[in-house]
Amino acid sequence: MSNENLAIFQIILNNLDIVFFIFLFFLGLVSGSIAENNHYKSIKKREEEFINIPVVNSGDFIDETREIENIYFVSGSCVVALDYFKMFFAAIKQIFGGRIESYETLIDRGRREAILRLKEKAMKKNVDIIINLRIETSSIGQNAGQKGGIGSVEVFAYATAISYRK
């Protein structure tokens, strides 16, 4: 092996930790994006399945011409973790200001998933409509409560489900 090749090999060995870090960074970024896209596909598919159950955030939609058979409390919750890549990009965005899309997608996925879980429970009870939908969010985890820190987000959806007499 020539001295020139040996020098190149030595440079590569000295910078192997940087190369390994960059490899892991992109691996995490790509796998996180794939996982998020798969979750969105799952959400969209299930939303299409439950499209026939109306959900409203008011009680004004009760059909007073029909007799109510049962009233149920239904709920659904979801915890979505925030990965380091979203926190990294959010930190950069906070320097310049503006919307933080990485957090918005986190909340959107959690909200939609919680409503779907609520609808799944309501579907088992053969309800006709879900009224007075309310959604609560809270940050949980190791970094919750620290300035700028979120470990994960819990979204809790709850409502009143009504089934009419047939």
Side-chain angles (χ1 to χ4, degrees):
M1 186 181 269
S2 72
N3 285 342
E4 187 176 300
N5 288 341
L6 189 60
I8 292 172
F9 184 70
Q10 187 66 35
I11 291 170
I12 291 172
L13 281 178
N14 290 341
N15 294 311
L16 193 59
D17 54 342
I18 294 171
V19 172
F20 188 65
F21 172 78
I22 292 170
F23 170 75
L24 288 178
F25 180 83
F26 283 108
L27 179 66
L29 186 63
V30 169
S31 63
S33 296
I34 289 170
E36 184 175 62
N37 287 336
N38 287 340
H39 189 215
Y40 266 123
K41 287 177 188 175
S42 167
I43 287 172
K44 189 168 181 75
K45 180 183 173 197
R46 290 182 295 140
E47 283 176 338
E48 290 170 2
E49 288 176 29
F50 298 126
I51 194 90
N52 60 337
I53 301 177
V55 178
V56 294
N57 64 355
S58 141
D60 296 340
F61 294 92
I62 296 175
D63 186 353
E64 294 177 3
T65 64
R66 298 173 68 187
E67 185 181 347
I68 295 175
E69 183 175 353
N70 286 310
I71 298 175
Y72 306 100
F73 172 79
V74 289
S75 65
S77 66
C78 175
V79 177
V80 181
L82 182 62
D83 60 61
Y84 286 106
F85 301 104
K86 287 188 183 295
M87 286 192 285
F88 174 75
F89 292 123
I92 291 173
K93 188 70 170 187
Q94 286 175 339
I95 294 170
F96 302 105
R99 291 178 42 214
I100 302 176
E101 292 88 2
S102 60
Y103 287 175
E104 289 176 358
T105 60
L106 180 81
I107 295 295
D108 179 57
R109 285 173 46 213
R111 177 186 50 82
R112 290 168 70 181
E113 183 68 36
I115 292 171
L116 282 169
R117 291 178 183 184
L118 175 141
K119 282 186 165 188
E120 287 171 357
K121 290 178 182 177
M123 198 81 162
K124 292 176 183 174
K125 298 178 185 295
N126 293 319
V127 302
D128 296 302
I129 189 169
I130 300 170
I131 62 169
N132 293 330
L133 174 69
R134 300 293 182 257
I135 299 174
E136 304 285 335
T137 61
S138 62
S139 59
I140 58 175
Q142 212 171 23
N143 299 329
Q146 293 178 4
K147 185 177 186 245
I150 294 178
S152 54
V153 174
E154 178 194 22
V155 181
F156 180 67
Y158 58 97
T160 304
I162 298 175
S163 60
Y164 296 112
R165 195 167 305 282
K166 305 299 179 214

